[in-house]
Amino acid sequence: MIYQIEDEKKKIRHRSSDDFSGGLSEEELLKLIEEVETGEMIHAPVHLKSNVLTQIRKERDGNRKRQLFVYRAKVLIAMAAALMVLILMPAGRMEDVGQMFVPKQGNAVSMEQAALERRRHIDDKWEAYREERASGGIRGMIDDIGVRISQFGENLSRDQDRE
C-alpha cells in the first residue's frame, strides 16, 4: 500500500511541466480509474476510529468538568453574596430601623426625647393590640359578617314563605 502511494507521487512528479491546468489528462484519468477499480484502495489505519472517539470523549469530559466547575463557582458566589447581605442588613422592618438610630447630636436631652418617643410608640402599639383583641379583632369582624349574612338569608326565606 505504501509503495502504491510512492508510485503515485512519482507519476505526479514526472508529468509534463508545460501542463499548468493542474488536472489530469483524459488518458491519465482513465488510467487512474482503471488502477482504482482493479487494485486495492488505501485503507485508514486500524486504530484511527478508536483514537478519534477517545479524543472526542476526553474533550466532552473536559467540557463537562469545566461546566460543573463554573456552575459550582456561580453557586458559591451567590451564597457568599446572600450571606453578606444577611450580615450587613439590619434586622427588623424599615420603619423600625429609622427609629433605632438616634441622631448624633450628642446631648442627653435629645436621647431622652428619643427614648420617650420610642416608649410612646410601644405603648400605642400595645393599646391598639388590646383594643383589637377586646373587639374580637379580624376574626370577630368575620364572625359578625357571617352572622349578619345568615340573618339576611333567614329574613329572605321568611319573606318568600309569606308570599
Side-chain angles (χ1 to χ4, degrees):
M1 284 190 266
I2 296 175
Y3 298 112
Q4 290 175 353
I5 295 172
E6 291 178 9
D7 290 339
E8 289 298 321
K9 287 182 182 178
K10 286 179 185 177
K11 288 179 187 177
I12 292 172
R13 286 186 202 142
H14 292 301
R15 285 191 192 146
S16 60
S17 60
D18 57 343
D19 184 21
F20 294 109
S21 65
L24 298 173
S25 65
E26 284 191 35
E27 296 170 359
E28 291 175 339
L29 186 59
L30 291 173
K31 193 176 183 184
L32 179 63
I33 291 171
E34 190 176 315
E35 284 179 15
V36 168
E37 288 177 352
T38 58
E40 286 187 31
M41 295 187 70
I42 300 173
H43 297 286
V46 178
H47 300 290
L48 181 66
K49 182 179 177 181
S50 63
N51 288 344
V52 168
L53 293 176
T54 304
Q55 287 292 352
I56 290 172
R57 280 190 207 109
K58 285 181 183 178
E59 288 180 18
R60 283 184 184 166
D61 290 342
N63 286 339
R64 285 183 188 148
K65 287 180 181 178
R66 235 178 278 117
Q67 287 175 347
L68 184 61
F69 176 76
V70 169
Y71 177 74
R72 286 179 180 169
K74 287 179 181 179
V75 169
L76 286 173
I77 290 171
M79 287 174 46
L83 286 173
M84 290 301 295
V85 167
L86 287 174
I87 290 170
L88 296 177
M89 289 295 293
R93 295 180 303 191
M94 292 305 288
E95 301 154 6
D96 296 338
V97 172
Q99 294 174 1
M100 284 184 354
F101 298 108
V102 178
K104 296 182 180 179
Q105 295 176 355
N107 55 10
V109 174
S110 64
M111 290 178 66
E112 281 182 33
Q113 289 175 349
L116 288 173
E117 188 176 320
R118 259 188 267 129
R119 185 70 208 167
R120 266 188 266 128
H121 180 68
I122 291 171
D123 290 339
D124 291 343
K125 284 193 172 191
W126 176 250
E127 286 299 320
Y129 170 75
R130 288 181 60 201
E131 288 173 7
E132 183 180 333
R133 182 159 177 157
S135 68
I138 294 174
R139 181 170 292 264
M141 282 179 45
I142 293 173
D143 290 341
D144 186 46
I145 291 171
V147 168
R148 288 183 185 188
I149 290 174
S150 60
Q151 287 175 353
F152 179 71
E154 289 173 5
N155 290 339
L156 279 178
S157 65
R158 277 190 232 139
D159 290 342
Q160 287 180 354
D161 290 338
R162 288 181 190 165
E163 293 176 5

